[in-house]
Amino acid sequence: MPDFKAPLRDLRFVLHEVFDAPALWARLPALADSVDADTADAILEEAAKVTSQLIAPLNRSGDEEGAQWHAGRVTTPSGFKQAYATYIEGGWVGLSGNAGFGGMGMPKMLAVQFEEMLYGANSSFALYSALSSGACLALDAHASETLKNLYLPPMYEGRWAGSMCLTEAHAGTDLGLIRTRAEPQADGSYQITGSKMFITGGDQDLTENIVHLVLAKLPDAPAGPKGISLFVVPKVLVNPDGSLGAANAVGCGSIEHKMGIKASATCVMNFDGASGWLVGEENKGLAAMFTMMNYERLSIGIQGIGCAEASYQSAVAYARERLQSRSPTGAMAPGKVADPIIVHPDVRRMLLTMKAMTEGGRAFASYVGQQLDLAKFSDDIGERESAQDLVALLTPVAKAFFTDTGLESCIHGQQVFGGHGYIREWGQEQLVRDVRIAQIYEGTNGIQALDLLGRKVLADKGLALRQFTGEIRRFAARPDAPYATQLLDAVQRLEDISDWLQDRAATNRNEVGAASVEYLHLFGYVAYAWLWARMAQVAGQKRSEDDSFYGAKIATADFYIHRLLPRILSLEQSIRAGSASLYGLSAEQF
Ligand SMILES: Cc1cc2nc3c(=O)[nH]c(=O)nc-3n(C[C@H](O)[C@H](O)[C@H](O)COP(=O)(O)OP(=O)(O)OC[C@H]3O[C@@H](n4cnc5c(N)ncnc54)[C@H](O)[C@@H]3O)c2cc1C
């Protein structure tokens, strides 16, 4: 199995050449003094070392050994503890965290690139800190100063981890059904009682403490999602001076045996009258939790890109070496018994699909990162708000499209290996198993699609959508924009189908759910077309500097525009067929 190598050159291309991130940072007062092109490069280089040399080597052994549960305690696979200790010394958990509480205050654009490397190296390992970073964000945005001062510094340091406790056996997508209760206590704390399942990193042996963010209901809470509150519930109680006290009444009942991410502990968590503290306002917990969930949604999307990149790296190496049959146009390696399979059109189709989707996703993730930076750091309120609107619109696309195409890419990677992709030795089957969960957790991709079409496009009357398509149109209008005709056609189709759905949904709400997954994919393909056109435009200007690198960008853009973008035609037709055929069968007839 080839070693995972962080794709530094490609990451830098996106950061510096496509988005010119350092120019943006220079004009944002909160970032101007803390980060520039050199700092960013140094961070990415160090990140590449940590992920490729420290964390990637534990990916296979972690999968084989898995997380273990014994007598209420979880142990992570061999090597995880030592690697985690080294990892946190680098401050990676708090990379884009609030510097006022010990985070490094770096831009999100850098953090998304780091996360891609981390997931590409080892998805299970990545999850232990991904949840911590998200929990910190929710606490920073909604908790009292006292809670922030107590919890954030050790969490950013990585000495304590975070978890996200939403799901219960009978309440997954529909969190309004949760039964975990919170009883107010005289001292202002709450007693939390209930059982949560599928909690990633609910227990582990990597950190001194685990800070659970738990959704629960107060005794007089209204029914449904409007009656949910958010609590911080530490595994070990925290004294007012920040030192650790007695164990809280929180236990890990068991861990799940599952298809992939086997080194990540997926826990049943029991809260037996545990002490908790309210985060934000009573009954407004779901909104507060969304700060964490939105962070995690982008992060989990990036899991799709990271796994696809790892799969691509091995598939290319294999396709160059594996000798089978001759090229249809005559022998390419006449001195060998057969040609390497990279000569065959179908193998090239698979590799290019992987490359085009992974690099398109990488650019899209950085674009969302850029909007998150603007939403957080711009001193122009109009710019902040419009960036926030774009983030809200694009987050469900990022989560679902990155992971749907991430699985598609990993399956292509496996297919390039033929039968050798199905066996353990080459690592492709693990990537297929590991990436699959990303379509399910953090809200299934079906739910992301409903969020995009129902809430972010239709309920918004297409305002944020027009903001996004306006940006694409402005790019296509530039005299040097490549693929302007295809881009304008694609963006027109996205706008037209959105308007058509607005009308249809007014008379039949089933039209939204019937169209939503295809709509999200259509949206994703159009967005990637814009990003590929941008990448091709930059590459065109620089081709003479490095024909191999920039020429490959241009050729991949060409492949994307001519071979992948046309998928929107069938998606559009399918959407226009409407919901009627979905209701042709009664439940008994299935
Ligand atoms: C490995 C793993 C790790 C996880 N980590 C965490 C964690 O850290 N914290 C946490 O709280 N949870 C976690 N989860 C739970 C995960 O987020 C849920 O499994 C997921 O949100 C779906 O919920 P569910 O499994 O109950 O499926 P259900 O909600 O029962 O959904 C079943 C199917 O019905 C569809 N569906 C449901 N409602 C609708 C609707 N209104 N419209 C259309 N389709 C619908 C869904 O899309 C899905 O296809 C994890 C799960 C796994 C497997």
Side-chain angles (χ1 to χ4, degrees), residues 49-328:
K49 258 192 237 149
V50 168
T51 51
S52 305
Q53 293 169 18
L54 179 75
I55 298 168
L58 299 173
N59 191 39
R60 167 84 173 271
S61 55
D63 179 59
E64 284 173 357
E65 193 178 332
Q68 309 287 333
W69 180 92
H70 181 68
R73 292 199 177 274
V74 170
T75 42
T76 53
S78 311
F80 269 50
K81 227 173 151 167
Q82 295 84 337
Y84 185 83
T86 309
Y87 169 72
I88 64 171
E89 272 172 28
W92 297 108
V93 181
L95 182 62
S96 60
N98 186 342
F101 293 98
M104 281 169 66
M106 287 293 123
K108 187 68 192 171
M109 278 186 100
L110 266 187
V112 298
Q113 298 210 326
F114 169 61
E115 281 176 67
E116 187 204 312
M117 297 186 217
L118 194 57
Y119 282 113
N122 189 332
S123 281
S124 289
F125 188 96
L127 287 166
Y128 286 109
S129 64
L131 271 298
S132 296
S133 307
C136 288
L137 203 69
L139 288 173
D140 194 18
H142 303 288
S144 66
E145 287 304 308
T146 313
L147 289 179
K148 285 198 247 187
N149 279 311
L150 269 185
Y151 287 94
L152 285 178
M155 289 177 79
Y156 280 139
E157 241 182 275
R159 279 192 297 118
W160 300 359
S163 89
M164 184 173 83
C165 299
L166 284 62
T167 307
E168 299 179 9
H170 54 280
T173 301
D174 189 354
L175 292 169
L177 300 175
I178 62 165
R179 292 188 195 135
T180 298
R181 297 187 321 275
E183 294 280 347
Q185 305 297 297
D187 63 359
S189 68
Y190 294 78
Q191 226 178 47
I192 312 291
T193 306
S195 187
K196 298 282 179 182
M197 77 181 301
F198 293 157
I199 306 308
T200 299
D203 194 45
Q204 33 79 358
D205 57 359
L206 306 174
T207 60
E208 296 163 18
N209 202 0
I210 303 175
V211 180
H212 304 289
L213 290 193
V214 183
L215 290 182
K217 290 195 162 183
L218 295 164
D220 55 353
K226 294 206 167 98
I228 297 176
S229 303
L230 177 63
F231 299 88
V232 60
V233 185
K235 173 180 173 179
V236 184
L237 292 167
V238 182
N239 297 319
D241 65 358
S243 60
L244 293 179
N248 203 356
V250 180
C252 175
S254 61
I255 61 173
E256 305 296 342
H257 301 279
K258 55 195 193 294
M259 174 179 175
I261 54 163
K262 288 175 187 273
S264 166
T266 307
C267 305
V268 171
M269 297 304 300
N270 299 318
F271 298 88
D272 299 316
S275 294
W277 288 266
L278 185 69
V279 176
E281 291 175 49
E282 288 185 350
N283 300 328
K284 300 255 169 74
L286 207 50
M289 197 63 165
F290 259 101
T291 308
M292 178 165 184
M293 281 152 72
N294 279 333
Y295 176 94
E296 298 299 343
R297 283 177 178 178
L298 177 58
S299 176
I300 292 309
I302 293 169
Q303 183 183 357
I305 303 173
C307 289
E309 170 65 30
S311 176
Y312 174 74
Q313 289 183 12
S314 315
V316 170
Y318 189 79
R320 287 188 185 126
E321 297 290 320
R322 175 73 174 167
L323 303 178
Q324 291 293 296
S325 317
R326 289 293 179 193
S327 156

